[in-house]
Amino acid sequence: MGKIRVIQYASGTTGKIAIRAMANHPELELVGMLVHSAEKVGLDAGELAGIGNLGVTATDSLEEILAIEADAVSFMGLWPDLDLVCPMLESGKHVVLTPGLLYPKYLGDEVVERLEAACKKGNTCVFGGGISPGFVQCVAPIAMSNLALGINKITVEEFVDFHDVGESPELIRDMLGIGRTLEDVKANKHPWFDEMMPDFFNQTVALTADALKLELDEIRADIEHFVSPGGGRIDSVEIPPGTVGGVRSTFTGVVDGQDRLIVRLNWWCTYDLGDGWFSADDISNSTQWRITVDGEPSMRLTFEQADHFNDPTGNPRKSTEHSFIITAMNVLHAIPYLCQEKSPGIKHYGNLPLMAGRYTIR
């Protein structure tokens, strides 16, 4: 049996990792490359990923991509553009995505009906995954619930110290509001952050609730910006005193007025944000997620990532690249499972089997 033929969409940080992974994968073969930047057209996918040429030329033509004989598309753009996703599905290609579509049911009937119709026409499946939103808010708490007699509340916390994050000023300043005045942030909301992010993370709350047979009354989204009195600087952004130095976003599933499922994202660039925030020593250098189950019994799972954990200093290097690797591989590893599905349609963590990283030990 031949390899699974895969097209890669987008060559940002996560997309580059996916290209590198498929260049040396015993089960997946890269056969097409779709880009949205004109300057990347005509370049080899390997060149875009910083490795040797792979013989796969990048194009910005959806028509050319749809004409390629392929089994799946690895979709790693910034948002889940259904005008791209649905034609891919209709052309007979499964689609795995990192940007959203974790649980389209939450997004409404129109989205679900459009995706299901495209899957039916192409006899294909669509799956959204990643690390966050994704694995840590869904797979981890759902698996932990299997160990409990009863649960009062589940809290999933994310910790990101942006001193270690090599992101662009556009993301840090324009989208998150870091280094801008609180008044400016409130008056000039960013549509990707203030509208799309709740859609992304609320899906994880809805999926986990359905898996636990928990009927939610509502899902609340609360995004708070915190001012740094002293200011500071990270690699990509200057933070003047009195401007935003941290963001806390909370997405809460509520039943009878009680908070039952909580996803909280703590992102900071300075250490003077007040009560409830962190110093440089509060969180392990490699800790990024913590899942707490309050119940019988209460349990806590700490998710760490690093180059390795045998550093004699006890301070393994943390890097955002690890998160990008996890995000890319979580959806790439789903491709063989979609290819094995007997029925087309929307797939998610709740209706797929436990997915392994096939051939990762070799």
Side-chain angles (χ1 to χ4, degrees):
M1 182 176 178
K3 289 187 176 183
I4 298 171
R5 294 168 58 84
V6 182
I7 293 166
Q8 175 64 33
Y9 170 55
S11 58
T13 304
T14 308
K16 288 181 174 66
I17 293 166
I19 293 169
R20 297 203 306 267
M22 286 187 280
N24 185 34
H25 198 284
E27 194 169 23
L28 306 177
E29 178 186 4
L30 182 67
V31 297
M33 183 76 221
L34 178 64
V35 295
H36 56 80
S37 299
E39 61 269 21
K40 296 181 180 180
V41 173
L43 298 179
D44 188 89
E47 183 181 358
L48 292 172
I51 57 178
N53 283 3
L54 300 175
V56 178
T57 303
T59 178
D60 61 356
S61 169
L62 178 61
E63 290 72 23
E64 290 180 19
I65 289 297
L66 297 180
I68 295 174
E69 183 180 340
D71 301 295
V73 176
S74 163
F75 191 109
M76 297 181 180
L78 290 176
W79 59 85
D81 187 346
L82 296 190
D83 290 336
L84 292 177
V85 173
C86 289
M88 292 170 176
L89 293 168
E90 291 170 354
S91 71
K93 301 170 182 62
H94 303 294
V95 178
V96 296
L97 306 94
T98 54
L101 295 189
L102 284 121
Y103 201 42
K105 173 183 173 181
Y106 171 81
L107 300 175
D109 292 342
E110 182 178 348
V111 172
V112 169
E113 290 169 3
R114 189 173 175 188
L115 287 170
E116 289 286 4
C119 289
K120 183 177 180 181
K121 182 176 180 179
N123 193 31
T124 50
C125 301
V126 59
F127 167 78
I131 182 63
S132 178
F135 182 93
V136 292
Q137 293 90 7
C138 300
V139 178
I142 291 170
M144 293 173 72
S145 73
N146 178 261
L147 308 176
L149 177 62
I151 295 174
N152 299 318
K153 178 174 65 177
I154 298 177
T155 304
V156 180
E157 297 175 278
E158 176 172 288
F159 308 98
V160 180
D161 184 339
F162 275 84
H163 289 87
D164 298 312
V165 175
E167 288 289 0
S168 68
E170 290 76 20
L171 173 66
I172 302 298
R173 181 179 175 83
D174 298 347
M175 188 181 298
L176 302 187
I178 300 298
R180 295 162 53 195
T181 65
L182 192 58
E183 293 74 19
D184 178 40
V185 171
K186 289 182 176 180
N188 299 284
K189 293 183 179 296
H190 196 289
W192 288 0
F193 187 71
D194 294 274
E195 297 173 18
M196 291 184 66
M197 195 173 78
D199 278 348
F200 282 9
F201 284 93
N202 285 351
Q203 287 180 74
T204 69
V205 176
L207 192 160
T208 302
D210 281 358
L212 272 59
K213 302 300 181 185
L214 177 66
E215 294 188 16
L216 298 177
D217 297 329
E218 63 172 326
I219 302 176
R220 294 197 310 263
D222 183 24
I223 299 176
E224 303 172 274
H225 294 81
F226 291 78
V227 170
S228 167
R233 178 169 183 81
I234 58 175
D235 285 348
S236 55
V237 172
E238 182 76 29
I239 306 163
T243 62
V244 172
V247 183
R248 176 172 287 145
S249 305
T250 307
F251 310 93
T252 307
V254 181
V255 180
D256 295 331
Q258 301 294 314
D259 297 349
R260 294 295 193 169
L261 298 175
I262 302 168
V263 171
R264 181 175 297 118
L265 315 176
N266 303 283
W267 300 343
W268 66 95
C269 298
T270 66
Y271 302 118
D272 60 349
L273 302 178
D275 293 341
W277 282 93
F278 315 100
S279 74
D281 300 320
D282 284 337
I283 301 296
S284 166
N285 194 46
S286 55
T287 299
Q288 199 152 9
W289 294 281
R290 186 167 63 200
I291 301 97
T292 302
V293 175
D294 292 309
E296 186 179 357
S298 291
M299 297 171 279
R300 174 168 287 169
L301 176 65
T302 300
F303 190 130
E304 297 187 340
Q305 54 179 3
D307 288 336
H308 53 77
F309 292 104
N310 57 0
D311 189 325
T313 67
N315 189 32
R317 186 181 73 86
K318 170 182 165 183
S319 166
T320 51
E321 184 180 5
H322 304 132
S323 297
F324 290 121
I325 292 171
I326 296 169
T327 295
M329 298 316 300
N330 184 244
V331 297
L332 282 184
H333 287 316
I335 290 174
Y337 292 89
L338 295 195
C339 292
Q340 293 171 356
E341 281 292 299
K342 302 298 184 183
S343 59
I346 296 170
K347 306 300 176 182
H348 51 75
Y349 292 120
N351 65 9
L352 284 172
L354 182 63
M355 295 181 286
R358 291 155 59 142
Y359 300 105
T360 49
I361 300 178
R362 61 180 191 268

